Amino acid sequence: MDAGTGCFYDAAADGSFPGTGEEEGAVWAAMETVGDGPAVFLAGGEAGHTLAGFTSGWGDGCYPTWIGRDAEGRVTCFVTDFFVVPPQEGASA
C-alpha cells in the first residue's frame, strides 16, 4: 500500500509498532479500516502506545509542521500544511 500516509507519535513509542516497513502489523491493520479520502486512524502498539495516522494531502512529499507550545513550553499541538488549499490570488506566501 502506497498511501501517502503520515503520523504523529511520541518518541517514547519508537519501536512499539513492529512490522510497519513490512506491510504488516498494527499500523497496517489500522490503515485497512480507512476508506477513500482524508482520514485519521489510531493504531495500538506494544506497551500501550498509540499512533495517530492520517492521509497526507496529495501523497508522498515534505510538508512543513509547526509545534505549538504553552507558556511553560509544553507541546500543545501540531499544525501541518499539506498544501491542499490553493493560495488566494494576490496573497503573499
Side-chain angles (χ1 to χ4, degrees), residues 27-44:
V27 174
W28 288 96
M31 288 174 61
E32 292 294 325
T33 65
V34 176
D36 293 335
V40 173
F41 64 88
L42 299 176

Side-chain angles (χ1 to χ4, degrees), residues 23-92:
E23 299 190 20
E24 61 184 51
V27 174
W28 288 96
M31 288 174 61
E32 292 294 325
T33 65
V34 176
D36 293 335
V40 173
F41 64 88
L42 299 176
E46 296 175 357
H49 293 289
T50 303
L51 174 149
F54 45 86
T55 55
S56 60
W58 301 117
D60 295 339
C62 296
Y63 302 100
T65 299
W66 293 267
I67 302 172
R69 297 181 184 271
D70 64 14
E72 286 77 38
R74 294 179 299 234
V75 174
T76 58
C77 68
F78 295 95
V79 176
T80 300
D81 186 349
F82 291 108
F83 306 119
V84 295
V85 177
Q88 293 180 344
E89 189 172 317
S92 61

